[in-house]
Amino acid sequence: MAYINGRWIETASQLEVINPATNEIIGKVPVVGKTETIEAIESAKEAFKSWKKTTFPERVYYLEKVVTLLREQHEEIAQLITKENGKPIGDSRDEVESGIAYIEWYAEEAKRIYGDVLPASSQNKHLIVKRQPIGVCAAITPWNFPFSMITRKIAPALATGCTVVLKPASATPLSAVKVFECFDKAGLPEGVINLVIGSAQEIGNEMTKSEDVRKISFTGSTAVGKLLFRDSADTVKAISMELGGHAPFIVFDDSDVNIAVEGILNTKFGNSGQTCVSTNRIYVQSGIAEKFTKALTKKVSKLKVGNGLDEDVDVGPIIDQKSFDKIMEQIEDVRDKKGKIICGGEQYANNTGGKFIQPTIITEANEKMLIATEETFGPVVPIFTFETEEEIIEKANHKHYGLAGYCYTSDLGRAFRVSEELEYGMIGVNDSSPFVIQAPFGGIKESGLGQEGGKYGLEGYLITKYISFNANY
Ligand code: ADP
């Protein structure tokens, strides 16, 4: 399906949208390809000519209108997210809230795109630095936050005066359609935002090779990020990328065990463990390891697995067979390498048709295990023990990934020292939910380039233009 130049485009070939909890088809969406992607880029290019000249109150008008329209459908959208993604309904409600908050934030931030006037080195000159919209932006979004990753890209793009062509993940296109329906209803001028649903490779290829697309904003795997980065080189596009992660969660002896356990429940089992900032490795200092492991196991063994639409479910299904197989492979590898599975470790038996994994805790983990370095993207976590602060800094940093990291301690000096040394773009000190709209979200190393969120999220959609006026002409 496509929404191009303010019109919905239907095609014969259809994509089936599956509920991962039940394996049922919950909708069908027509798919488009190369031709429609070119048309969408063309339409965004044409619309940019006038959209870039709009004043901020004009742009804010549409963003605020969309906020109202989305709010009216808050619960409906949350249900839709759970149906196409599987996550527990509470997590979907949170996602809708944060997704709308991004639009609200950028409706405000649009008012604060400032430039500079520089001191001149000659009497007749006036030096001006302006920030202008970068142009047509291509956005590619993942299935794990099918709603908020879209608004997090579209809102700052529109706030700055850019136009957009967006490709959502094929597993979760219905949330994207919802967002576009609201912008359509708000009367956003034709061509300012365009939607293309279809083959990732075909659409992505047109986006990267186009000379008219000036920026790519991507959230997804590191492998695809690298590919898009390479393919964008010929046209030297601006790039923002939020890629994979492998978050350490460090628990020092002086931590409050119950607070640290709550932190794991949130960072590992929230959104069924399928987020890029999920805890991938727990490191517990030896003095507290037994107590912590016991307390965590007690809580994790009580987590309820099932269809996310049931209000009391804590952990939903795995998105698809491929992801399920990858997680099971990591569990098998743990067994082969003499790790101990103290909770879970098997497919969760159910009669709903979906693929579920029991919330799993592994002890006696070692660094040779796949799970020690590979992203898991599921409700499975290994516990490693450590002795000293020095040792843990060395171990917690990852060779390739640098997205999020968590550190629990009641020693202020240690908290500062460790957060200074951790090579991650975002760090929660005694905080498992550091991710808020006003803060920069983004990684370092192979976890990404650039930031989204807050004032930082505008940067990637702006160019800096310097004008020197000689007044003595
Ligand atoms: P995940 O493993 O989380 O699905 P992907 O990186 O495969 O992560 O997917 C994230 C987004 O990138 C989705 O919208 C997907 O369709 C898209 N994508 C996947 N492969 C390509 C590609 N070759 N070119 C452009 N987009 C792609």
Side-chain angles (χ1 to χ4, degrees):
M1 178 178 273
Y3 177 77
I4 300 174
N5 210 22
R7 279 180 307 114
W8 291 99
I9 305 209
E10 299 284 334
T11 53
S13 134
Q14 304 245 316
L15 170 78
E16 290 176 346
V17 186
I18 311 280
N19 179 339
T22 61
N23 242 341
E24 283 166 353
I25 299 169
I26 51 164
K28 287 187 182 171
V29 179
V31 288
V32 298
K34 181 177 162 151
T35 316
E36 293 80 3
T37 308
I38 295 171
E39 272 173 38
I41 294 170
E42 198 52 46
S43 127
K45 183 186 170 190
E46 199 51 37
F48 182 62
K49 292 178 187 162
S50 47
W51 185 248
K52 70 178 180 184
K53 291 186 182 153
T54 52
T55 58
F56 78 79
E58 288 174 75
R59 299 197 295 276
V60 168
Y61 166 82
Y62 295 110
L63 292 171
E64 286 178 345
K65 220 167 164 187
V66 168
V67 167
T68 308
L69 290 167
L70 288 171
R71 277 249 148 77
E72 285 166 9
Q73 300 177 70
H74 194 294
E75 183 58 23
E76 195 187 320
I77 300 169
Q79 300 270 335
L80 187 62
I81 292 174
T82 291
K83 280 184 197 149
E84 66 176 357
N85 163 290
K87 68 174 74 177
I89 188 69
D91 290 337
S92 294
R93 289 184 186 124
D94 290 347
E95 182 182 343
V96 177
E97 200 43 51
S98 76
I100 295 174
Y102 277 113
I103 309 181
E104 267 178 330
W105 183 273
Y106 287 106
E108 285 296 319
E109 209 62 51
K111 303 166 185 170
R112 288 182 267 277
I113 301 172
Y114 300 120
D116 290 308
V117 177
L118 306 179
S121 38
S122 95
Q123 274 190 2
N124 302 322
K125 289 200 179 180
H126 301 271
L127 314 183
I128 299 168
V129 178
K130 293 187 76 165
R131 308 303 308 277
Q132 292 186 323
I134 196 165
V136 175
C137 301
I140 301 179
T141 53
W143 53 263
N144 65 339
F145 287 89
F147 177 76
S148 63
M149 292 302 102
I150 292 177
T151 59
R152 191 159 89 175
K153 295 188 192 308
I154 287 184
L158 296 193
T160 52
C162 293
T163 56
V164 178
V165 179
L166 181 123
K167 190 207 89 63
S170 299
T172 55
L174 301 175
S175 307
V177 170
K178 251 302 174 237
V179 174
F180 275 73
E181 278 172 359
C182 287
F183 275 102
D184 183 59
K185 209 165 165 194
L188 189 74
E190 288 169 2
V192 173
I193 58 168
N194 303 274
L195 174 70
V196 280
I197 298 170
S199 154
Q201 226 173 350
E202 203 174 320
I203 294 170
N205 197 28
E206 289 310 314
M207 288 173 159
T208 48
K209 82 176 187 208
S210 165
E211 290 175 347
D212 296 320
V213 171
R214 293 312 321 148
K215 182 196 169 75
I216 298 262
S217 177
F218 172 71
T219 301
S221 62
T222 296
V224 173
K226 286 181 182 177
L227 187 124
L228 295 170
F229 199 178
R230 269 186 224 113
D231 290 352
S232 297
D234 277 346
T235 48
V236 193
K237 292 187 204 321
I239 304 273
S240 300
M241 294 200 163
E242 200 264 279
L243 308 173
H246 205 273
F249 191 110
I250 307 168
V251 187
F252 282 99
D253 278 350
D254 55 23
S255 309
D256 180 316
V257 166
N258 294 328
I259 295 176
V261 165
E262 283 307 316
I264 295 292
L265 293 181
N266 187 28
T267 61
K268 180 74 246 183
F269 299 99
N271 283 288
S272 316
Q274 298 179 105
T275 88
C276 49
V277 292
S278 286
T279 290
N280 273 265
R281 292 164 284 156
I282 302 174
Y283 291 106
V284 194
Q285 204 164 11
S286 56
I288 204 177
E290 200 181 321
K291 193 172 166 198
F292 170 86
T293 306
K294 221 180 212 171
L296 181 65
T297 312
K298 195 170 164 199
K299 290 270 185 178
V300 171
S301 57
K302 287 192 186 132
L303 292 176
K304 187 167 177 214
V305 182
N307 186 331
L309 286 177
D310 297 341
E311 293 284 344
D312 59 346
V313 156
D314 302 298
V315 177
I318 304 304
I319 188 74
D320 57 24
Q321 183 73 45
K322 195 171 142 225
S323 303
F324 175 86
D325 291 345
K326 186 185 165 192
I327 301 166
M328 291 312 285
E329 188 198 343
Q330 286 192 356
I331 295 176
E332 278 319 302
D333 175 70
V334 160
R335 286 202 177 93
D336 289 349
K337 292 181 178 145
K338 311 277 178 271
K340 204 164 150 193
I341 292 165
I342 57 165
C343 174
E346 304 290 341
Q347 175 171 4
Y348 175 78
N350 72 98
N351 51 14
T352 62
K355 291 276 175 197
F356 298 83
I357 290 181
Q358 294 172 341
T360 300
I361 302 175
I362 294 151
T363 56
E364 295 174 33
N366 66 61
E367 269 127 49
K368 293 209 171 66
M369 293 172 178
L370 291 174
I371 203 165
T373 48
E374 256 187 19
E375 211 173 4
T376 304
F377 244 68
V380 178
V381 70
I383 300 179
F384 302 81
T385 52
F386 70 96
E387 300 296 332
T388 68
E389 189 180 311
E390 210 175 29
E391 172 197 351
I392 196 51
I393 287 169
E394 181 81 19
K395 285 187 171 156
N397 288 328
H398 194 284
K399 194 167 170 195
H400 301 290
Y401 290 123
L403 194 59
Y406 310 91
C407 169
Y408 279 60
T409 176
S410 56
D411 178 334
L412 196 57
R414 171 179 276 162
F416 269 93
R417 284 193 302 275
V418 174
S419 50
E420 193 70 17
E421 292 297 326
L422 286 178
E423 295 165 359
Y424 292 88
M426 297 170 285
I427 293 170
V429 177
N430 301 324
D431 186 4
S432 63
S433 315
F435 316 106
V436 287
I437 48 164
Q438 65 271 35
F441 192 105
I444 57 172
K445 297 185 182 171
E446 293 174 29
S447 288
L449 281 172
Q451 277 90 25
E452 295 185 303
K455 65 176 183 178
Y456 312 91
L458 284 184
E459 283 300 314
Y461 295 94
L462 293 166
I463 55 152
T464 301
K465 183 186 278 179
Y466 161 61
I467 306 165
S468 172
F469 276 102
N470 182 352
N472 208 16
Y473 180 68

